[in-house]
């Protein structure tokens, strides 16, 4: 029971910690006259992925490979199938040309790269792991993706659209430090609680990380996308989830593998394959009309239900 309480406290700490960290860091950056474009593409963009990053860093240091992989892939499945599904059910999403033909395919390719890396046993006869070399490759892809984002933002000239808190330097530093502390404490609570809950219920850490942990770390994306959908801001709603998926694999999984190689356990190909299929499904849905409508959103939720049933019945 206490493990569940600590899990909930950890999730709350992660969500608030990410918000405080982003607000504080953005305000500090603004004091030093750092352009909005740089703040938006670094501090704010990293903010929604901060929960996954902290949880994965702690899990990697402690050697919990199942949590490291499960959190990233579970978050991506929730982003694509649940968050976009629910968002599209609230309000149909129009998808920009670049998102349709660049970012969504890139998210699918990222999932495919991880699937191949996780099954390199079939290529080199060595145990299936995502090693430090693989992590560096993922980070190189991430740097390329970051450069692409800088190019798009410069081209769009969206300099004035970012809202930054007008904090004094003292409050900004306090918010940044407080947010960082909350993230670290929340991440530790979540990792330790996930292990305790898995042990207590007799289920694997993989299942807990793919469901409860992944959902908890995906709350910032859920909140952002639902609010964007209600405000009829389709680009933000879908771009937030797809961008987060790319961040999760290239940056967070890359960092995790560099810290400690990730062992691929039995059965973990299930979620890797579903992750690739989810990317294909999203691309097929938006390809013709560049739109995600309500019935497609519901279909995506049903697809996640099929995956969840298959995961939990074993």
């Amino acid at each position: 029971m206490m493990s569940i309480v600590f899990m909930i406290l950890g999730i709350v700490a992660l969500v608030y910690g990410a918000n405080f960290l982003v607000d504080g860091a953005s305000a500090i950056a603004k004091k030093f006259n750092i352009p909005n474009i740089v703040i938006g593409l670094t501090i704010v963009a990293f903010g929604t992925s901060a929960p996954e990053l902290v949880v994965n860093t702690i899990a990697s240091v402690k050697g919990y490979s199942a949590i490291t992989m499960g959190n990233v892939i579970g978050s991506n499945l929730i982003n694509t199938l649940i968050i976009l599904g629910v968002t599209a059910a609230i309000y149909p999403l129009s998808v920009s040309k670049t998102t349709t033909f660049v970012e969504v395919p890139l998210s699918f390719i990222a999932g495919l790269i991880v699937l191949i890396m996780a099954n390199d046993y079939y290529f080199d006869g060595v145990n299936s792991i995502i090693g430090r070399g693989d992590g560096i490759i993922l980070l190189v892809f991430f740097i390329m993706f970051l450069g692409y984002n800088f190019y798009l933002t410069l081209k769009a000239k969206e300099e004035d659209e970012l809202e930054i808190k007008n904090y004094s330097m003292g409050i900004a530093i306090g918010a940044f430090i407080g947010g960082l502390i909350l993230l670290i404490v929340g991440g530790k609570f979540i990792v330790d609680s996930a292990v305790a809950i898995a042990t207590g219920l007799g289920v694997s850490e993989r299942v807990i990380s793919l469901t409860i942990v992944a959902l908890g770390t995906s709350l910032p994306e859920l909140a952002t996308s639902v609010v964007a959908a209600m405000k009829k801001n389709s680009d933000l709603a879908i771009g937030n989830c797809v961008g987060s998926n790319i961040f999760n694999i290239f940056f967070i999984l890359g960092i995790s593998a560099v810290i400690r190689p990730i062992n691929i356990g039995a059965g973990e190909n299930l979620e890797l394959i579903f992750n690739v299929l989810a990317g294909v499904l999203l691309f097929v849905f938006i390809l013709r009309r560049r739109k995600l409508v309500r019935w497609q959103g519901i279909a995506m939720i049903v697809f996640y239900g099929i995956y969840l049933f298959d995961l939990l019945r074993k």
Side-chain angles (χ1 to χ4, degrees):
M1 185 64 186
M2 285 305 298
S3 295
I4 296 174
V5 172
F6 278 115
M7 173 71 75
I8 294 170
L9 288 174
I11 290 171
V12 172
L14 279 184
V15 173
Y16 279 97
N19 285 334
F20 289 151
L21 183 77
V22 168
D23 288 344
S26 299
I28 292 170
K30 197 64 179 176
K31 296 291 183 184
F32 286 98
N33 295 318
I34 295 175
N36 283 3
I37 177 178
V38 177
I39 298 172
L41 285 173
T42 53
I43 297 170
V44 175
F46 280 96
T48 55
S49 292
E52 288 94 341
L53 176 60
V54 173
V55 168
N56 268 43
T57 300
I58 294 172
S60 294
V61 169
K62 293 190 173 187
Y64 296 131
S65 289
I67 295 177
T68 302
M69 179 63 80
N71 182 38
V72 166
I73 302 303
S75 292
N76 280 19
L77 285 168
I78 289 172
N79 284 345
T80 303
L81 299 174
I82 295 297
I83 297 179
L84 283 183
V86 169
T87 306
I90 294 173
Y91 182 80
L93 303 174
S94 297
V95 187
S96 69
K97 189 174 181 180
T98 55
T99 299
T100 302
F101 296 108
V102 177
E103 290 155 21
V104 170
L106 185 57
S107 177
F108 157 73
I109 291 169
L112 192 59
I113 289 171
V114 172
L115 178 62
I116 293 171
M117 286 180 172
N119 289 276
D120 52 10
Y121 174 82
Y122 297 103
F123 300 98
D124 57 20
V126 181
N127 290 336
S128 291
I129 63 170
I130 297 180
R132 289 191 171 93
D134 295 325
I136 291 170
I137 291 171
L138 293 175
L139 290 175
V140 169
F141 275 113
F142 172 72
I143 292 170
M144 293 168 61
F145 174 65
L146 199 60
Y148 162 75
N149 270 292
F150 268 102
Y151 166 74
L152 280 187
T153 308
L154 282 171
K155 186 179 178 181
K157 297 180 180 177
E158 296 176 346
E159 177 70 17
D160 296 324
E161 294 186 3
L162 186 65
E163 292 184 10
I164 297 176
K165 302 285 187 182
N166 187 26
Y167 289 153
S168 67
M169 182 59 82
I171 293 176
I173 292 173
F176 176 81
I177 294 174
L180 187 60
I181 292 171
L182 282 174
L183 279 170
I184 293 171
V185 172
K188 188 175 186 309
F189 279 1
I190 285 179
V191 172
D192 292 345
S193 298
V195 174
I197 291 170
T199 302
L201 295 179
V203 298
S204 67
E205 293 167 11
R206 166 176 162 255
V207 171
I208 297 297
S209 61
L210 282 165
T211 52
I212 300 173
V213 175
L215 179 60
T217 57
S218 295
L219 287 178
E221 288 89 348
L222 176 60
T224 301
S225 293
V226 169
V227 170
M230 293 176 70
K231 291 181 178 180
K232 301 181 180 180
N233 190 340
S234 297
D235 284 343
L236 177 59
I238 193 166
N240 174 58
C241 286
V242 174
S244 179
N245 284 356
I246 297 170
F247 261 61
N248 286 346
I249 288 180
F250 286 155
F251 180 65
I252 295 174
L253 201 61
I255 288 287
S256 301
V258 169
I259 293 172
R260 187 189 294 262
I262 302 168
N263 294 312
I264 307 301
E268 288 191 21
N269 270 334
L270 169 68
E271 54 264 22
L272 294 176
I273 292 170
F274 264 95
N275 184 50
V276 171
L277 292 177
V280 172
L281 183 65
L282 176 61
F283 183 65
V284 169
F285 277 169
I286 65 176
L287 180 60
R288 185 178 176 186
R289 299 170 56 194
R290 297 217 310 267
K291 203 167 196 176
L292 197 63
V293 297
R294 286 190 175 92
W295 76 263
Q296 292 169 332
I298 294 170
M300 292 167 76
I301 296 171
V302 170
F303 186 69
Y304 183 82
I306 294 170
Y307 156 75
L308 197 60
F309 174 77
D310 193 53
L311 174 68
L312 297 177
R313 74 184 176 86
K314 295 178 179 178

